[in-house]
Amino acid sequence: MHDPHSERMSGSETRAASGLALVFAFRMLGMFMVLPVLATYGMDLAGATPVLIGLAIGAYGLTQAFLQIPFGVISDRIGRRPVIYVGLLIFAAGSVLAANADSIWGVIAGRVLQGAGAISAAVMALLSDLTREQHRTKAMAVIGMSIGLSFAVAMVAGPLLTRVFGLSGLFLATAGMALLGIAIVAWLVPRSVGPLHHRESELAREALGATLRHPDLLRLDLGIFVLHAILMASFVALPLALVQKAGLPKEQHWWVYLTALLVSFFAMIPFIIYGEKKRQMKRVLLGAVTVLLLCELFFWQFGGSLRTLVLGTVVFFTAFNLLEASLPSLISKVSPAGGKGTAMGVYSTSQFLGAALGGILGGWLFQHGGLGVVFLGCAALCALWLAFAVTMSEPPYVTSLRLPLSSVAVRDAGLVERLLAVAGVTDAVVVAEEAAIYIKLDTEQLDRTSLERLIEAAPARAEA
């Protein structure tokens, strides 16, 4: 047994975080590895047109968007593991279908089936079941890093694998990774006692209305929608620009993405530190969206040589990775107490819908106007996002906490009111069915230990 208040993650928590991070990483690798190669290699498939290539790039987002919340709800009923196993098997089946396709429609069908294995919500819920409150943010950060790393690896591994094994070999590799994910969940990830309900990691129906009416959450949802639409549309155009404009053979594209991702990873870190330490996240967000807009205009106007395309790609990925890392953090800050899981569910749905629209839009614009029109279309999307982002409020710099309550404290009608009167506490809600309280607090004004003392004193006050 481990000490419930220990400041170190236990062995089982470490195994849970690392195992589920690997599952996420393998699945995301399978999703992303096709991005840098589908626009170039996919044109050899029977029936391929730019519009259909774009649809193949973004198709996974359609089924992912519509099924990830239902899969999460089902996992509350029948357990996390069965849902994760079925989701990974569906993903593997989609990969095999795409691998055996000899036409673009077969690849599209495979990508749609890949997206139907929508296990994100179930994996995050299982992570919550297996980690203590004080380590949950740390565990989720491990998964966040694994997603970022898998994207970087995919940009390089996709072109290298396709060069050696072709598109079918690439899809078979993604099927293998899905099956490896099943083995990791079965043998590495510890067993949980059963689904625990955490509003910070799962959808709460009663919080959905407030989430969909929250102006700043909606601005962030629009942001991730546009960000992934631009990513997918850009991957219709960028690989083709490298071939057609810069004369770089498709087998050599990997070094462009490797350079861009390595430089961008280190370039974005100072901006993240500045935004958090100086409490200037809105300024960082607006700056990154502006840079993204300028990148698309740069591609449109100057993307005619290898040097300018590589330079533009490095700056593009710096802004993209900065926004990809910042937006979930902003969702956590802005969402009401006990509403983070619901807010993240809507946010993820927006992300996948953006990916679907971006692929289709990128292909359609390329087919009807060429590369320049794709970049202009992406710039227009950035301008739309910027217009909405400018009006957002500076986010509150708060941490979300979930603390268990005794049966007496749950019945204490004045607990929330007293906590809200404490400097540093910005929001609080008691959820009686979980015997827990969700709190948002500014850790520069109030630390966790002081807060726990206040809550532990609540039963005494309630009985007095």
Side-chain angles (χ1 to χ4, degrees), residues 29-355:
L29 265 175
M31 290 292 192
F32 291 142
M33 278 198 301
V34 300
L35 294 187
V37 297
L38 212 46
T40 48
Y41 287 84
M43 289 306 288
D44 297 333
L45 292 163
T49 65
V51 169
L52 295 179
I53 289 290
L55 178 57
I57 285 173
Y60 82 93
L62 285 171
T63 39
Q64 185 92 344
F66 291 112
L67 292 175
Q68 60 125 5
I69 288 177
F71 268 45
V73 172
I74 292 167
S75 80
D76 293 340
R77 304 257 174 87
I78 68 169
R80 318 295 188 203
R81 285 171 188 270
V83 168
I84 293 169
Y85 292 147
V86 169
L88 287 170
L89 284 172
I90 291 171
F91 181 86
S95 302
V96 171
L97 178 60
N100 289 300
D102 52 10
S103 75
I104 189 63
W105 287 107
V107 172
I108 291 168
R111 291 285 281 170
V112 167
L113 196 54
Q114 279 185 327
I119 59 167
S120 304
V123 171
M124 295 306 273
L126 180 58
L127 185 70
S128 289
D129 295 344
L130 293 167
T131 51
R132 287 165 292 162
E133 184 63 41
Q134 65 265 40
H135 299 307
R136 198 157 297 131
T137 303
K138 210 184 302 177
M140 288 185 176
V142 171
I143 284 190
M145 285 188 288
S146 79
I147 293 170
L149 186 62
S150 68
F151 179 77
V153 171
M155 291 300 100
V156 180
L160 289 174
L161 277 173
T162 312
R163 177 182 180 178
V164 178
F165 301 109
L167 265 183
S168 64
L170 181 69
F171 280 118
L172 285 175
T174 68
M177 284 187 281
L179 298 176
L180 193 54
I182 291 173
I184 289 168
V185 175
W187 294 318
L188 179 63
V189 176
R191 298 275 160 186
S192 61
V193 290
L196 302 176
H197 294 291
H198 303 279
R199 284 194 178 197
E200 296 296 270
S201 59
E202 63 187 45
L203 186 102
R205 288 189 190 88
E206 52 272 39
L208 191 56
T211 300
L212 294 173
R213 290 190 301 270
H214 195 298
D216 280 342
L217 284 177
L218 290 175
R219 287 183 181 91
L220 296 171
D221 293 334
L222 173 70
I224 195 64
F225 177 91
V226 169
L227 185 64
H228 278 257
I230 289 167
L231 178 71
M232 296 301 159
S234 295
F235 270 110
V236 172
L238 266 179
L240 292 171
L242 287 169
V243 172
Q244 295 175 11
K245 301 276 189 180
L248 186 70
K250 59 190 178 184
E251 294 82 10
Q252 293 181 32
H253 288 193
W254 64 270
W255 69 259
V256 175
Y257 302 123
L258 178 62
T259 304
L261 287 158
L262 282 176
V263 174
S264 68
F265 176 76
F266 291 104
M268 75 169 182
I269 291 172
F271 296 103
I272 290 177
I273 294 169
Y274 168 77
E276 289 287 355
K277 294 285 186 190
K278 302 291 185 182
R279 302 197 163 194
Q280 294 288 345
M281 287 301 294
K282 180 182 176 182
R283 181 181 290 182
V284 169
L285 176 81
L286 294 178
V289 177
T290 304
V291 169
L292 217 51
L293 168 59
L294 293 173
C295 269
E296 296 296 344
L297 293 174
F298 178 83
F299 284 135
W300 168 60
Q301 196 63 40
F302 303 108
S305 71
L306 183 58
R307 182 179 296 174
T308 55
L309 283 170
V310 172
L311 175 64
T313 305
V314 168
V315 179
F316 174 88
F317 274 115
T318 301
F320 174 84
N321 288 332
L322 178 57
L323 288 163
E324 185 81 350
S326 302
L327 286 169
S329 167
L330 288 167
I331 290 278
S332 292
K333 289 175 169 58
V334 170
S335 59
K340 180 180 163 188
T342 307
M344 284 304 296
V346 175
Y347 170 88
S348 296
T349 300
S350 305
Q351 173 183 324
F352 296 128
L353 284 173

